[in-house]
């Protein structure tokens, strides 16, 4: 545990109470829409979601009042388009994912190639001076980093994706994302501001209390009841911190299923007892657990503004919070695992996934409970302890964008 207050290392984040306005104000939400979500790079899928030419996903981005088609082209390139027909504006694709050669509009039959160009205009000879180039699907900036597909809604993004990720990309160098190709997905529609969702993954203080039945004893020992981190780094608006493991943890005697599963797994989130790769994770990805603590569980990492990436030796969990309205969001949780090789692995993972659902249900209760309680605007400020510095960092970064700062350069 670091003895010096963490906050002292980042004086620009301050120590005072923080305003609750960003969590409850419709005006603030409108500024997040224009100054934040329409300007930054947003992770919309992984390449593995659309591995073959013609594969596509459709992503609803309520915050921008649009829907996007993200498609793997014939030339291997991944592109993103607004999901709207150029003829009279019908929504072009009405399924969440699929595979095709052309996108055909159901209204009057106009068709588009995987590169967005219009390929068929029905009754073309009845139109007047049509400019086919102008009839292409409206393109959205799209770039890929380590298999993560990002889009940027700005007409001219101010930074490349790699510039935007900055020190985060350096830190994650070597993590074997490619091995983690088997998803297990959960999704919740929450009546809560999207930041209340992110915040629940932005500190570990609550794990000792809210998650007392599910998680506490796996991670925390009597040595630490403050929710401390083993280490923390901020990378511009992004960050990482290392989480403790309780290496002495054992399930009680009468937890027969759990004891069986723990014989198969080292990590409660259903990673397996052997490593994902033959090389130890800290050799592959030296940025993880930088203090090389022995009682390390995983690194909790964050790609601003809405993506939490849990990077463990056995599993990666992506948690994303998509704003829908100032008081609503969609939580998408995907656990990415290595390929399953045996019945016992399948069993251990199913158990780990059920465990995760229990933990998520606890988080849902406080996300929506906080939203309800805050709505009246009685409470004007929050108090944050030293190990909630990550919440200060989140709010500081959002505030900078909302106030119109275009680039979140490294502080
Ligand atoms: S709106 Fe799509 S073809 Fe008419
Ligand atoms: Fe939690």
């Amino acid at each position: 545990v670091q003895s010096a207050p963490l906050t002292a290392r980042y004086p620009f984040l301050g120590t005072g109470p923080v305003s609750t306005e960003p969590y409850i104000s419709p005006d603030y939400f409108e500024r997040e829409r224009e100054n934040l979500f329409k300007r930054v790079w947003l992770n919309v899928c992984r390449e593995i979601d659309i591995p073959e030419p013609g594969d596509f996903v459709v992503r609803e981005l309520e915050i921008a009042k649009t829907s996007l088609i993200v498609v793997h082209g014939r030339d291997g390139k991944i592109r993103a388009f607004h999901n709207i027909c150029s003829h009279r504006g019908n929504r072009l694709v009405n399924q969440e994912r699929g595979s095709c050669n052309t996108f055909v509009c159901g209204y009057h039959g106009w068709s588009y190639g995987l590169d967005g160009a219009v390929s068929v205009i029905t009754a073309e000879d009845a139109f007047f001076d049509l400019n086919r180039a102008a009839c292409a699907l409206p393109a959205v900036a799209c770039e890929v980093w380590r298999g993560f597909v990002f889009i940027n809604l700005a007409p001219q993004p101010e930074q490349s994706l790699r510039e935007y990720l900055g020190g985060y990309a350096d830190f994650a160098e070597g993590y074997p994302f490619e091995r983690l190709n088997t998803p297990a997905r959960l999704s919740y529609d929450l009546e809560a501001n999207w930041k209340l969702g992110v915040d629940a993954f932005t500190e570990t203080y609550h794990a000792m209390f809210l998650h007392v039945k599910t998680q506490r004893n796996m991670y925390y020992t009597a040595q630490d009841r403050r929710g401390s981190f083993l280490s923390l780094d901020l990378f511009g608006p992004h960050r990482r911190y290392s989480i403790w493991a309780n290496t002495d943890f054992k399930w009680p005697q009468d937890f027969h299923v759990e004891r069986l599963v723990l014989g198969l797994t080292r990590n409660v989130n259903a990673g397996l007892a052997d490593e994902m790769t033959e090389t130890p994770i800290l050799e592959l990805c030296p940025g993880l657990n930088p203090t090389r603590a022995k009682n390390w569980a995983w690194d909790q990492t964050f790609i601003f503004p809405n993506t939490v990436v849990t990077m463990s030796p056995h599993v990666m969990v992506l948690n994303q919070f998509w704003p829908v309205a100032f008081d609503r969001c969609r939580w998408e949780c995907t656990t990415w695992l290595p390929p399953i090789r045996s019945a016992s692995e399948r069993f251990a993972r199913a158990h780990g996934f059920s465990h995760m659902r229990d933990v998520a249900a606890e988080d849902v209760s406080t996300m929506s409970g906080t939203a309800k309680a805050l709505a009246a605007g009685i409470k004007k400020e929050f108090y944050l302890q030293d190990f909630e510095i990550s919440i200060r960092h989140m709010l500081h970064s959002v505030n900078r964008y909302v106030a119109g700062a275009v680039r979140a350069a490294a502080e």
Side-chain angles (χ1 to χ4, degrees):
V1 185
Q2 288 150 337
S3 51
L6 273 184
T7 316
R9 277 169 50 197
Y10 302 101
F12 65 93
L13 296 177
T15 54
V18 298
S19 170
T20 56
E21 191 209 345
Y23 296 90
I24 54 177
S25 156
D27 287 351
Y28 193 92
F29 186 75
E30 288 309 313
R31 282 177 279 149
E32 286 179 338
R33 189 197 304 282
E34 295 306 322
N35 295 347
L36 169 56
F37 280 90
K38 289 190 181 175
R39 290 189 146 168
V40 296
W41 290 96
L42 300 167
N43 170 233
V44 286
C45 65
R46 294 182 69 201
E47 270 179 321
I48 199 157
D49 289 307
I50 45 174
E52 302 294 333
D55 292 349
F56 66 87
V57 291
V58 170
R59 300 291 275 152
E60 304 307 316
L61 293 189
E62 292 89 344
I63 184 77
K65 301 180 183 172
T66 192
S67 157
L68 299 183
I69 305 168
V70 185
V71 57
H72 189 141
R74 289 271 153 250
D75 55 359
K77 193 168 153 50
I78 292 178
R79 297 179 178 83
F81 304 101
H82 289 280
N83 184 12
I84 181 170
C85 177
S86 301
H87 174 224
R88 273 172 42 214
N90 185 35
R91 187 181 156 100
L92 185 58
V93 182
N94 289 299
Q95 61 196 88
E96 272 179 30
R97 55 183 64 225
S99 192
C100 67
N101 289 317
T102 50
F103 298 108
V104 182
C105 180
Y107 205 172
H108 313 93
W110 285 33
S111 305
Y112 303 85
L114 303 179
D115 60 357
V118 68
S119 52
V120 174
I121 296 176
T122 52
E124 187 169 5
D125 56 356
F127 282 91
F128 310 94
D129 305 322
L130 266 188
N131 174 352
R132 287 182 77 100
C135 292
L137 298 177
V140 172
C142 183
E143 291 184 21
V144 179
W145 169 77
R146 302 286 317 275
F148 290 84
V149 180
F150 286 75
I151 61 91
N152 190 314
L153 292 161
Q156 296 288 337
E158 288 122 358
Q159 291 172 295
S160 69
L161 173 60
R162 186 61 184 75
E163 286 168 342
Y164 178 71
L165 293 174
Y168 180 90
D170 298 330
F171 143 73
E173 190 70 42
Y175 188 79
F177 294 115
E178 307 71 23
R179 280 271 296 147
L180 300 162
N181 58 7
T182 311
R185 300 177 196 271
L186 290 172
S187 172
Y188 302 88
D189 290 313
L190 298 178
E191 293 193 7
N193 183 273
W194 65 280
K195 295 187 293 303
L196 290 175
V198 173
D199 287 358
F201 287 84
T202 303
E203 44 87 0
T204 58
Y205 181 23
H206 77 277
M208 287 171 280
F209 307 99
L210 179 64
H211 301 312
V212 63
K213 287 193 230 150
T214 50
Q215 280 190 319
R216 180 177 78 180
N217 295 331
M218 296 169 183
Y219 303 113
Y220 284 88
T221 63
Q223 295 164 282
D224 181 73
R225 293 289 191 223
R226 297 175 302 161
S228 64
F229 310 134
L230 290 163
S231 59
L232 165 85
D233 286 300
L234 308 184
F235 312 111
H238 321 293
R239 69 184 154 267
R240 59 150 289 281
Y241 56 81
S242 294
I243 297 208
W244 292 65
N246 177 2
T247 47
D248 299 327
F249 176 74
K250 285 196 175 49
W251 287 101
Q253 280 298 337
D254 56 333
F255 280 59
H256 303 291
V257 172
E258 286 77 2
R259 288 173 72 91
L260 172 62
V261 169
L262 203 67
L264 300 166
T265 69
R266 208 185 293 162
N267 183 297
V268 290
N269 275 348
L272 295 170
D274 53 320
E275 301 288 342
M276 290 193 291
T277 61
E278 283 168 14
T279 314
I281 191 77
L282 296 180
E283 278 176 39
L284 279 182
C285 181
L288 290 170
N289 184 24
T291 63
R292 295 296 185 263
K294 292 273 182 282
N295 52 348
W296 171 69
W298 68 64
D299 271 21
Q300 189 79 314
T301 83
F302 176 76
I303 301 175
F304 186 76
N306 67 334
T307 300
V308 182
V309 188
T310 299
M311 291 163 62
S312 96
H314 317 284
V315 67
M316 166 175 73
V317 188
L318 284 185
N319 280 290
Q320 293 193 299
F321 294 88
W322 293 100
V324 173
F326 78 94
D327 56 356
R328 282 171 55 208
C329 69
R330 187 173 57 258
W331 175 10
E332 295 174 349
C333 169
T334 309
T335 305
W336 287 95
L337 300 152
I340 293 172
R341 296 164 303 184
S342 66
S344 56
E345 286 186 1
R346 185 172 294 283
F347 176 75
R349 286 170 188 200
H351 181 274
F353 191 61
S354 310
H355 181 263
M356 186 129 115
R357 282 178 47 172
D358 290 350
V359 177
E362 291 167 342
D363 285 314
V364 165
S365 76
T366 52
M367 290 168 191
S368 50
T370 306
K372 272 202 181 70
L374 283 177
I378 310 283
K379 182 89 188 144
K380 305 283 187 226
E381 291 178 327
F382 288 148
Y383 309 103
L384 300 173
Q385 58 122 313
D386 196 38
F387 292 102
E388 290 173 297
I389 186 173
S390 34
I391 307 260
R392 286 186 199 282
H393 179 235
M394 170 71 184
L395 280 168
H396 171 83
S397 306
V398 175
N399 277 331
R400 287 194 71 217
Y401 272 92
V402 163
V406 170
R407 287 176 179 231
E411 222 90 21

